[in-house]
Amino acid sequence: VAVEPRFRAALADLLGAGGVLDDPADLEKYETGWRYGKGKALLAVRPATTAQVSRVLALCRERGLRVLPQGANTGLVGASVPDGGGRMVVLSLERLNRRLAIDVLDRTVRVDAGVLLSTLNQALAEHGLTFPVDLSADPQIGGMVAANTGGGRLLRYGDVRHNLLGLEVVLADGTVLDTLTALRKNNTGLDLKHLFTGTSGVFGVVTGAVLQAAPLPRQRAAALVGLRRGEAGLELLRALEHGLSELLTAFEVMSAQALEPVFRGPAALRSPFGQAPPPPYTALVELATTLPEAVLDLPGLLEEALGRHLEAHGDDLADVLVAPPESLWAIRHHISESLRGEGRVLAFDLAVPRSRLPAFTEAVKAALGAEYPCFRVCDFGHWGDGGTHLNLVWDEAAAPLPAAELVPRVQRRVYDLAVLDFGGSYSAEHGVGPHNQACFDRYASAAHKAAGAALKALFDPDGLLGTVRLW
Ligand SMILES: Cc1cc2nc3c(=O)[nH]c(=O)nc-3n(C[C@H](O)[C@H](O)[C@H](O)COP(=O)(O)OP(=O)(O)OC[C@H]3O[C@@H](n4cnc5c(N)ncnc54)[C@H](O)[C@@H]3O)c2cc1C
């Protein structure tokens, strides 16, 4: 599709050098999702100020052009790339990254949407602070708001929503909606920022945020705990929450099927279990504190707590290994990539009430084992908050049906189990995008969809923003 010359000229005047990209080679990275999604853009624009975002949206609206807000493009549901029609404008926030103002006394930070999480945390660390939503990618703050990112330490700090105080959003007609308050207490009715949090940019473009920062821990301690059965993980979690309360920052659980490939795949990390195979489940437990070692011996405390648990529940525990946190997180963070070396992977990002995680996994195994034994269930995830990245690894040659038929059937089976039978979520933390749009369509109630449609009509009546349908 050709770009109208007057439109291109108006954008170039507004955004200056490097502000408008339409060369196919330049566009490719804006058109390709990290895991899912490959689209075609009309062009990509890179505004550097909120006023420029507002003007870009107004110019697009005058021509009826649809716009896809894009952050660092690390999203995992295909929502961060345009559709295949070649008529969407990608609005990248990567140059809107100048403001980063820390208020140490308030323990807050005002930040532009395009600032990367790593940049924010570097700046905060100089003041003994951190933005605690932690993950193994480096997204933009605006993308994190639009996806309401969760991450490995949600158990202690919550998701983005829990740490968001104020927001600046530009609506589809160019109106700037400023709710950039730094107040923690502000009980004055409708809290509009939540409508733009976790809604994939379909109601407005996030241009700035005020976040609350957390004190940067001075110490972390971590351990792997081998578990003979899934339920033992839940007992350990309860004991640690009871005994160590807010010191507990992460509680991840990895099945043997998810772990083994990390030690034999391309990463080939050294197994902490030596030559022995990993136990059925392994918990990664992390504690953190702002107190210095002289005041609190954190590794000692962790060893003591795990030792006590081992004495009481020795039959259920296979092994306990306290080690530097980075080495244990490296194992956890290599799982997804290692599984991809084992065959085709059908990945799910699910949540159920955490007490039901072992039963849910067994139900999936039973349901698939009977009909589709070609799938290996490789589950791991944020058990502390009920999240499981249930990955099915399979060998296409051994499958009873071609992938195009098999995948939707298996997805339907697993999603139905999670949502309908276990009261869970088809998207624990990655949000909604073309990858799981069918789930939204299937599981959201009519009343929920009607509310979404009313909001879309209010904020973006011409339906110009994003590719996701939340109604
Ligand atoms: C290795 C890896 C590990 C990950 N781990 C986790 C994890 O543990 N937990 C987790 O929750 N996620 C995780 N993710 C997913 C991803 O990193 C998050 O969803 C991230 O917050 C997306 O931010 P982004 O800047 O990359 O946004 P993008 O991917 O560019 O966009 C995501 C969505 O937000 C919209 N959007 C982006 N910027 C804006 C804006 N300024 N205004 C309005 N809408 C916007 C896009 O249109 C799209 O719908 C992981 C991803 C990778 C690759």
Side-chain angles (χ1 to χ4, degrees), residues 52-136:
Q52 288 181 352
V53 171
S54 165
R55 189 71 196 118
V56 164
L57 289 177
L59 284 170
C60 290
R61 185 165 181 247
E62 279 166 20
R63 287 158 180 82
L65 288 173
R66 291 171 58 214
V67 176
L68 190 273
Q70 189 180 81
N73 199 5
T74 68
L76 294 177
V77 288
S80 51
V81 292
D83 64 20
R87 302 186 61 86
M88 290 190 84
V89 174
V90 172
L91 193 167
S92 167
L93 280 299
E94 64 196 335
R95 294 205 308 181
L96 207 164
N97 60 3
R98 291 180 204 160
R99 266 177 300 187
L100 199 170
I102 299 168
D103 190 315
V104 176
L105 271 187
D106 278 342
R107 199 161 36 77
T108 60
V109 52
R110 156 75 171 97
V111 69
D112 275 346
V115 169
L116 292 171
L117 177 61
S118 59
T119 310
L120 173 63
N121 272 330
Q122 254 169 25
L124 286 171
E126 287 175 25
H127 302 277
L129 296 171
T130 184
F131 185 61
V133 178
D134 181 82
L135 66 165
S136 60

Side-chain angles (χ1 to χ4, degrees), residues 14-336:
L14 176 70
L15 303 178
V20 186
L21 305 175
D22 53 3
D23 185 296
D26 292 337
L27 286 180
E28 204 179 332
K29 77 167 190 161
Y30 302 91
E31 297 173 330
T32 312
W34 186 289
R35 186 179 290 169
Y36 308 107
K38 173 90 187 99
K40 192 96 208 78
L42 179 66
L43 42 74
V45 291
R46 304 162 73 225
T49 64
T50 300
Q52 288 181 352
V53 171
S54 165
R55 189 71 196 118
V56 164
L57 289 177
L59 284 170
C60 290
R61 185 165 181 247
E62 279 166 20
R63 287 158 180 82
L65 288 173
R66 291 171 58 214
V67 176
L68 190 273
Q70 189 180 81
N73 199 5
T74 68
L76 294 177
V77 288
S80 51
V81 292
D83 64 20
R87 302 186 61 86
M88 290 190 84
V89 174
V90 172
L91 193 167
S92 167
L93 280 299
E94 64 196 335
R95 294 205 308 181
L96 207 164
N97 60 3
R98 291 180 204 160
R99 266 177 300 187
L100 199 170
I102 299 168
D103 190 315
V104 176
L105 271 187
D106 278 342
R107 199 161 36 77
T108 60
V109 52
R110 156 75 171 97
V111 69
D112 275 346
V115 169
L116 292 171
L117 177 61
S118 59
T119 310
L120 173 63
N121 272 330
Q122 254 169 25
L124 286 171
E126 287 175 25
H127 302 277
L129 296 171
T130 184
F131 185 61
V133 178
D134 181 82
L135 66 165
S136 60
D138 194 12
Q140 292 178 9
I141 300 309
M144 292 181 78
V145 171
N148 187 29
T149 309
R153 296 186 175 120
L154 187 143
L155 177 67
R156 161 86 167 269
Y157 298 103
D159 51 19
V160 168
R161 192 186 293 281
H162 281 87
N163 295 281
L164 183 66
L165 300 177
L167 205 59
E168 181 185 74
V169 178
V170 185
L171 304 181
D173 65 356
T175 303
V176 179
L177 183 65
D178 180 346
T179 68
L180 278 171
T181 171
L183 296 173
R184 286 190 175 74
K185 301 195 84 173
N186 182 21
N187 203 359
T188 52
L190 184 60
D191 196 348
L192 280 172
K193 65 178 181 281
H194 291 303
L195 300 176
F196 304 93
T197 309
T199 45
S200 316
V202 298
F203 297 137
V205 179
V206 175
T207 47
V210 181
L211 307 169
Q212 79 173 348
L216 183 66
R218 287 216 182 98
Q219 295 189 67
R220 291 190 191 282
L224 291 183
V225 183
L227 308 163
R228 297 212 164 86
R229 53 191 192 95
E231 286 76 5
L234 297 175
E235 282 151 19
L236 175 63
L237 173 60
R238 200 193 66 79
L240 292 174
E241 280 188 338
H242 186 72
L244 300 170
S245 71
E246 75 277 359
L247 292 175
L248 185 65
T249 40
F251 191 89
E252 303 278 307
V253 172
M254 306 163 276
S255 66
Q257 292 75 11
L259 263 187
E260 273 165 345
V262 176
F263 309 129
R264 65 168 175 249
L269 298 188
R270 207 164 55 82
S271 170
F273 304 103
Q275 296 303 315
Y281 282 99
T282 299
L284 190 172
V285 174
E286 186 197 66
L287 308 184
T289 179
T290 51
L291 297 175
E293 285 162 37
V295 177
L296 183 68
D297 170 15
L298 200 63
L301 195 68
L302 180 58
E303 270 177 47
E304 199 184 299
L306 293 175
R308 266 200 314 273
H309 196 73
L310 191 62
E311 263 175 38
H313 301 272
D315 291 351
D316 277 341
L317 303 196
D319 226 334
V320 174
L321 176 92
V322 177
E326 312 76 54
S327 64
L328 303 186
W329 280 109
I331 294 173
R332 162 67 180 82
H333 287 149
H334 272 97
I335 293 179
S336 292

Side-chain angles (χ1 to χ4, degrees), residues 446-467:
H448 182 118
K449 288 176 183 167
L455 288 171
K456 185 69 172 173
L458 179 67
F459 294 125
D460 177 19
D462 303 316
L464 299 179
L465 289 178
T467 54

Side-chain angles (χ1 to χ4, degrees), residues 372-418:
Y372 311 112
C374 59
F375 287 103
R376 188 158 33 112
V377 177
C378 303
D379 56 309
F380 63 99
H382 316 299
W383 272 38
D385 42 76
T388 173
H389 295 304
L390 190 117
N391 280 225
L392 303 178
V393 178
W394 55 302
D395 172 7
E396 255 185 290
L401 292 168
E405 275 178 67
L406 186 60
V407 166
R409 286 192 197 195
V410 171
Q411 283 176 325
R412 167 71 74 96
R413 191 80 186 88
V414 173
Y415 285 132
D416 274 0
L417 265 174

